[in-house]
Amino acid sequence: MVLGTPGQPGWPSPLGQPTWPSAPGQPGWPPRRPAYNPPVTEEDITLPPDADPFTIAEHQTRAAVTAPYWPASTPLQRRQALLPHLLTLPDHSWWLFAAWTRWYRWHPADSRWFPSPPPHAAHTRQTAAHGPTPPPIPAEILPTGADYLTDYGPPLALTGKPVSGALTYRLRSVLTEAAQAPPHDYPLGWNRFLHGTPSTIAATWSTLLWCASVPLFDPELGLIHHWEPHLAPQPTTEPANATDLRWLTPPPLHTIIGLYAERLRAGRGDAAAQLIRCMVMTAQALRDDPRFRVRASALLSMIEPLQSNPALDHRALPYGDQVLEREWRSRCPAPLFATLFADSAPGERLQLAFYDLATALQPLCGDPHDPATHTEPRHAATALLAADLAGYRPDLATPVGRWLDPELRTLLTDILGDDHHPLRGLWPSPTSDDPDTTLHVLGATAALGFAWCRLAGVPVPPNGLTTANHQAAHLTSLQDT
């Protein structure tokens, strides 16, 4: 697998997509429960009188990006609007709150911008200032405005909190209908399923995994049990204990498309339409749960238009599944486009997952006003990434670390190479007595694990990764007390 280099030509950019034809009020947009939240404006936020420069800069950037003029502004105008909000620290790094509501860091070590969680220590944040000669702001990190409209929320695994009875009932109804499809009309060659299983079942299963914020399932919730009668035994890949969390690798989008495209090429438009119907009904049921909502909304925006216009993909069909996948992506609204990063930009997906983990770890990193007890969350996140790499594939530190900023890239190598590194004291993972914090850290650590495994092209270990498993065991102990 060839890994790209962040900031260089050919690097996938979240802002490089065209203007999508599907938007609120237009065909293809999910008709109910849209994932959009109202934009935050300057009037909606009251800054505390002792706000530090990072808090003020983020507030001012949000106000600018969510202003009515922003979507129609040119890249040059956006750069000029963001320049006053650039911050610099005594280490000569520069910081900018930009695309996808993330902070970006520029370091003179390699003069590129990387998504990087901002400093958490109060003293460091107070030392930020507006410098005289900031570095250029590249186009790929400029906010478009659309990327500020959706709150993706923290990555959450399917554990801890039960699914609703309504969701369970709807999924059971969908599977009952899908199981009635004649196998000879819906052939399936996947070894994950028993012989004779129609592809409609595989369509619902793939939709479940793709729509999950983090496809880490607690079997005690009963959600995946609905598919067990159709799944083939996997003795070499199943967890040792029946109660262990199931690490289920999400399928790439092209796998879902392949089920549908195969029936179209076979001249069975009716069967292709039924597969889309199974996907739509599954995603609509899942959208009611916050652990599926955003990704289910993205998938529905791509496939619901096919129900009203079955010929929508016919022009792309002769050119192969890759062109067909681009056709599907073109129907995904820009605010939801980050849901596609795992398939289209795995490096950026890793960066956002790392950012989410550092954010989730903040409550576990000590008092930001006390340097003696405080650890920077981004350093703690690097330590947990090192713990997972050390327990599975330490040789991947270089290609994975390439997507981190220079400080964290060096830190990752140092932690892995030094058995006595101070940050190894965080291994296997810090814990909290608060179940919600534990759930957030569990989901974020698992999401990062899925991200770097996808980036490097290696399977997720069937028994999971060290840090998430440690959080899961701790969550169980909290629930038992």
Side-chain angles (χ1 to χ4, degrees):
M1 177 176 179
V2 178
L3 294 173
T5 303
Q8 298 300 318
W11 181 46
S13 169
L15 308 176
Q17 67 268 22
T19 301
W20 308 114
S22 181
Q26 296 182 1
W29 184 251
R32 67 179 184 83
R33 291 184 183 266
Y36 285 104
N37 290 327
V40 179
T41 63
E42 189 170 7
E43 291 74 21
D44 296 327
I45 304 175
T46 301
L47 284 172
D50 58 345
D52 59 68
F54 278 89
T55 302
I56 295 171
E58 180 174 334
H59 163 73
Q60 293 173 336
T61 301
R62 286 184 182 273
V65 174
T66 57
Y69 76 87
W70 191 270
S73 60
T74 65
L76 178 59
Q77 291 169 330
R78 293 174 182 176
R79 287 188 178 95
Q80 291 173 337
L82 294 181
L83 278 175
H85 310 314
L86 276 164
L87 300 175
T88 186
L89 291 177
D91 64 357
H92 305 295
S93 63
W94 287 84
W95 297 81
L96 176 67
F97 192 69
W100 301 107
T101 63
R102 298 299 201 277
W103 280 94
Y104 289 72
R105 186 187 193 211
W106 181 94
H107 196 278
D110 64 1
S111 301
R112 289 180 290 167
W113 291 90
F114 289 84
S116 183
H120 193 232
H123 171 73
T124 305
R125 294 174 71 92
Q126 290 292 353
T127 61
H130 300 285
T133 54
I137 304 174
E140 60 264 23
I141 72 170
L142 291 173
T144 62
D147 54 344
Y148 276 50
L149 294 178
T150 298
D151 180 9
Y152 284 76
L156 296 173
L158 271 297
T159 185
K161 298 181 180 179
V163 296
S164 69
L167 189 156
T168 301
Y169 174 80
R170 294 180 68 184
L171 283 181
R172 190 182 299 118
S173 300
V174 173
L175 276 171
T176 299
E177 178 179 324
Q180 294 173 355
H184 61 273
D185 289 334
Y186 297 88
L188 180 66
W190 295 5
N191 60 10
R192 180 67 183 175
F193 295 91
L194 295 171
H195 178 71
T197 300
S199 59
T200 47
I201 295 293
T204 61
W205 174 257
S206 298
T207 300
L208 171 79
L209 298 187
W210 196 91
C211 291
S213 172
V214 182
L216 181 60
F217 290 80
D218 184 346
E220 294 188 359
L221 295 186
L223 193 60
I224 58 176
H225 290 336
H226 301 300
W227 281 267
E228 285 184 350
H230 309 283
L231 297 176
Q234 304 285 324
T236 60
T237 60
E238 291 296 340
N241 299 315
T243 57
D244 288 348
L245 297 181
R246 300 300 195 269
W247 291 72
L248 301 174
T249 303
L253 185 61
H254 67 77
T255 300
I256 300 176
I257 293 173
L259 293 171
Y260 154 79
E262 186 276 331
R263 290 290 80 193
L264 280 183
R265 294 193 177 96
R268 292 297 305 274
D270 58 331
Q274 180 62 18
L275 287 167
I276 293 296
R277 172 179 165 81
C278 290
M279 297 176 196
V280 167
M281 291 192 300
T282 304
Q284 286 176 340
L286 296 172
R287 188 169 52 182
D288 291 333
D289 190 300
R291 293 167 288 192
F292 293 98
R293 183 168 297 144
V294 174
R295 292 183 62 85
S297 296
L299 184 62
L300 286 170
S301 70
M302 294 184 280
I303 62 179
E304 279 188 327
L306 293 168
Q307 292 191 303
S308 58
N309 184 4
L312 199 58
D313 290 337
H314 286 187
R315 288 186 300 177
L317 190 65
Y319 300 98
D321 287 358
Q322 287 186 339
V323 174
L324 195 57
E325 184 176 355
R326 287 201 295 269
E327 189 72 16
W328 279 38
R329 289 180 189 170
S330 72
R331 296 195 288 266
C332 182
L336 300 178
F337 199 75
T339 59
L340 305 179
F341 283 179
D343 298 304
S344 62
E348 289 188 354
R349 175 69 193 102
L350 178 135
Q351 291 173 333
L352 298 186
F354 182 90
Y355 200 113
D356 288 338
L357 176 56
T359 302
L361 288 172
Q362 286 183 3
L364 308 181
C365 288
D367 183 358
H369 296 277
D370 183 6
T373 63
H374 180 258
T375 301
E376 276 296 339
R378 67 179 189 273
H379 296 166
T382 306
L384 300 194
L385 173 59
D388 282 343
L389 287 169
Y392 180 39
R393 291 291 301 271
D395 58 303
L396 296 177
T398 297
V400 171
R402 184 181 303 166
W403 292 89
L404 304 178
D405 74 49
E407 177 202 11
L408 302 182
R409 190 185 315 149
T410 302
L411 181 62
L412 178 65
T413 303
D414 290 345
I415 295 172
L416 285 170
D418 182 0
D419 292 341
H420 303 288
H421 196 283
L423 285 173
R424 283 204 179 194
L426 298 177
W427 289 11
S429 180
T431 56
S432 168
D433 292 334
D434 176 38
D436 286 337
T437 299
T438 303
L439 274 173
H440 289 167
V441 176
L442 168 61
T445 53
L448 181 59
F450 281 113
W452 65 258
C453 286
R454 174 68 67 89
L455 172 67
V458 299
V460 177
N463 294 328
L465 295 166
T466 303
T467 56
N469 285 339
H470 181 71
Q471 292 293 330
H474 180 65
L475 180 64
T476 300
S477 68
L478 292 178
Q479 294 171 335
D480 291 342
T481 56

